[in-house]
Amino acid sequence: MRNSFLPYCLPFIGEEEIAEVGDSLRSGWVTTGPKVKRFEEEFAAYTGARHAVAVSSCTAALHASLAALGVGPADEVIVPTLTFCATANVVVHLGATPVIVDVDPDFQISVEAVCRAISPRTKVIIPVHYGGQACSLRDILELAARHGIPVVEDAAHAAGAEYEGRRIGTHGRAVCFSFYAIKNMTTGEGGMITTNDDDLAGRLRLLSLHGMSRDAWKRYTEAGSWYYEVLEPGYKYNMTDIQAALGIHQLRRLDGFIRRRQEIAALYDEAFSDLPEILLPPRLPGRNHTFHLYAIRLEAGRLQLNRAQLIEELHARNIGASVHFIPLHRHPYYRQRYGYRAEQFPVAEQIYRGLLSLPLYPKMTGPDANDVVSAVREIVETYRVPAGRLPEKGVSSAAVPAQF
Ligand SMILES: Cc1ncc(COP(=O)(O)O)c(C=O)c1O
């Protein structure tokens, strides 16, 4: 057994990032300044987008994007249930109604469910690229275009991901990335919105800094002036130069980070391929999967322990694990406020029952990955249901007890 705890996720921060942050601190540019501008330009070039607007988080990116598209109290916004709460919370912040839909067995938003959920009030569709693999973007975009509805992509997991040969960042009207501590690349906290729409980019810049009419950071330089106008009550969502200092170097490392994530994912795939108790993460064609998450599922009825107990067993062997995600429709706020019931989300319910994410990040060494494999295999072998006592088919459709 390992003698130190392996967290399920950790950032990789190199000496270049540390030196660049030091440079920002010494320069006095501790809030939005020239490094944010440079980071935006480099991120736009990386994704191929015309514009990149740096903000304080992906939550801020989603909120500002919906606000810029005019989402308000009479509107509905379609979101998948297998996501982090931020995807739907921002809809509520604008007084609109989140319309939560089921996912497909590949964990991605169900196009069919989106199709059924579209109403005359649908203002935006937010697909999520779960785990760092693009959802069925082409189908979603075609469906949305037929109804004249803009798509805002929640690409929190998908910096560096590709769909049909093009990097995520230019497919939807706006694309929102997260640079939270454990994402594919990090700025501590931070986010980015990319778009090819000039007007939307202008509006996003306005909204992300108080609704002020000019490049606010320039007003403190010689080129700037003291005068500005508030055109609407915007938000305080700007990124700082300290964050951008990290981001500039993390972006340079991103492709390498992704390659390392893919290597570890391939090692896990291979190591668990002979275990019928473990369902491997879905891999879809036409994508470059960044493996932000390595989310496995336990096959129903094959183990004499549940997911929560398995996580405890991993912990006892010094291995961290987590769950992505508790589906939105299970949270008290969304259940009570909108009356969602588990039966409306049969696929997400089935996925959620045995879902857990194993450690996977560039900082992990080969021995770390092998420790995860050994721990999982040992637990599976200890708690395996003997072949003669395997359940009949159909058990897996039972409701998931609330405590799981
Ligand atoms: C799918 C998804 N959307 C949005 C967010 C919010 O990102 P941030 O923490 O940068 O606000 C997260 C963060 O975990 C996420 O996983």
Side-chain angles (χ1 to χ4, degrees):
M1 182 176 113
R2 289 177 66 86
N3 50 22
S4 66
F5 185 71
L6 181 75
Y8 104 86
C9 212
L10 277 179
F12 178 103
I13 310 280
E15 288 306 315
E16 289 85 346
E17 283 88 329
I18 294 168
E20 195 75 50
V21 168
D23 179 69
S24 290
L25 297 178
R26 274 187 292 272
S27 78
W29 273 113
V30 288
T31 182
T32 310
K35 283 185 189 166
V36 169
K37 194 164 166 34
R38 198 167 114 208
F39 182 36
E40 288 179 337
E41 284 166 3
E42 291 178 9
F43 199 83
Y46 179 82
T47 54
R50 282 170 65 88
H51 305 277
V53 180
V55 287
S56 52
S57 68
C58 182
T59 306
L62 289 163
H63 190 198
S65 298
L66 295 188
L69 290 167
V71 171
D75 301 323
E76 293 175 351
V77 175
I78 299 175
V79 301
T81 192
L82 197 63
T83 186
F84 186 58
C85 59
T87 318
N89 285 353
V90 295
V91 178
V92 181
H93 293 164
L94 290 163
T97 304
V99 175
I100 302 173
V101 300
D102 208 354
V103 291
D104 279 334
D106 62 13
F107 299 14
Q108 307 292 349
I109 190 167
S110 158
V111 181
E112 206 186 300
V114 173
C115 192
R116 271 186 269 116
I118 289 175
S119 85
R121 291 173 58 196
T122 307
K123 187 81 171 180
V124 171
I125 300 169
I126 312 184
V128 174
H129 302 306
Y130 178 95
Q133 175 166 242
C135 69
S136 297
L137 256 181
R138 179 203 288 271
D139 295 343
I140 297 274
L141 291 168
E142 275 174 17
L143 177 65
R146 271 208 305 282
H147 292 269
I149 302 168
V151 169
V152 172
E153 294 167 61
D154 181 334
H157 304 176
E162 289 170 22
Y163 178 75
E164 294 183 346
R166 236 167 75 210
R167 284 213 175 101
I168 292 296
T170 54
H171 298 84
R173 181 77 69 84
V175 186
C176 301
F177 296 90
S178 174
F179 306 134
Y180 178 66
I182 57 165
K183 293 298 194 281
N184 291 351
M185 55 175 278
T186 186
T187 58
E189 298 278 358
M192 190 75 83
I193 313 162
T194 55
T195 182
N196 280 342
D197 179 329
D198 298 348
D199 292 341
L200 185 65
R203 205 158 146 60
L204 287 167
R205 288 194 187 284
L206 192 81
L207 279 173
S208 60
L209 198 60
H210 303 295
M212 287 158 70
S213 64
R214 12 182 332 115
D215 238 348
W217 69 271
K218 277 196 194 147
R219 73 188 192 278
Y220 297 121
T221 69
E222 280 176 26
S225 102
W226 53 271
Y227 189 77
Y228 61 88
E229 289 174 337
V230 173
L231 303 181
E232 56 184 308
Y235 308 106
K236 172 72 172 163
Y237 280 166
N238 54 311
M239 178 180 274
T240 69
D241 259 30
I242 300 171
Q243 292 167 300
L246 280 165
I248 287 164
H249 293 280
Q250 290 273 299
L251 182 60
R252 288 181 195 158
R253 298 185 198 278
L254 181 58
D255 289 342
F257 283 164
I258 292 170
R259 276 195 297 278
R260 181 69 189 135
R261 286 178 177 276
Q262 291 168 339
E263 273 168 23
I264 300 169
L267 183 148
Y268 285 162
D269 277 0
E270 169 71 26
F272 302 138
S273 61
D274 64 329
L275 299 180
E277 294 81 5
I278 305 281
L279 302 175
L280 302 180
R283 287 174 181 258
L284 300 168
R287 276 87 164 162
N288 185 26
H289 191 335
T290 63
F291 280 101
H292 166 59
L293 299 175
Y294 190 87
I296 59 166
R297 289 167 56 204
L298 308 183
E299 177 72 283
R302 283 190 171 265
L303 289 169
Q304 294 167 304
L305 83 178
N306 63 33
R307 178 259 313 278
Q309 291 163 330
L310 186 122
I311 291 175
E312 278 168 30
E313 290 282 336
L314 284 170
H315 210 271
R317 288 165 177 78
N318 266 337
I319 306 286
S322 194
V323 177
H324 299 90
F325 296 91
I326 302 166
L328 289 180
H329 68 264
R330 284 188 149 248
H331 290 293
Y333 176 79
Y334 287 99
R335 260 196 350 248
Q336 287 157 19
R337 171 76 177 77
Y338 303 101
Y340 288 114
R341 286 168 292 108
E343 308 85 84
Q344 295 170 272
F345 305 91
V347 180
E349 281 289 303
Q350 180 149 5
I351 290 173
Y352 174 61
R353 175 180 304 109
L355 186 66
L356 74 150
S357 303
L358 296 177
L360 191 153
Y361 42 100
K363 214 175 175 178
M364 277 174 73
T365 62
D368 289 338
N370 288 331
D371 287 343
V372 176
V373 169
S374 306
V376 170
R377 290 195 69 97
E378 190 184 296
I379 297 165
V380 167
E381 278 152 23
T382 308
Y383 290 95
R384 169 174 282 158
V385 173
R389 286 180 30 218
L390 284 175
E392 311 254 322
K393 281 223 176 307
V395 167
S396 60
S397 59
V400 186
Q403 72 271 20
F404 282 16

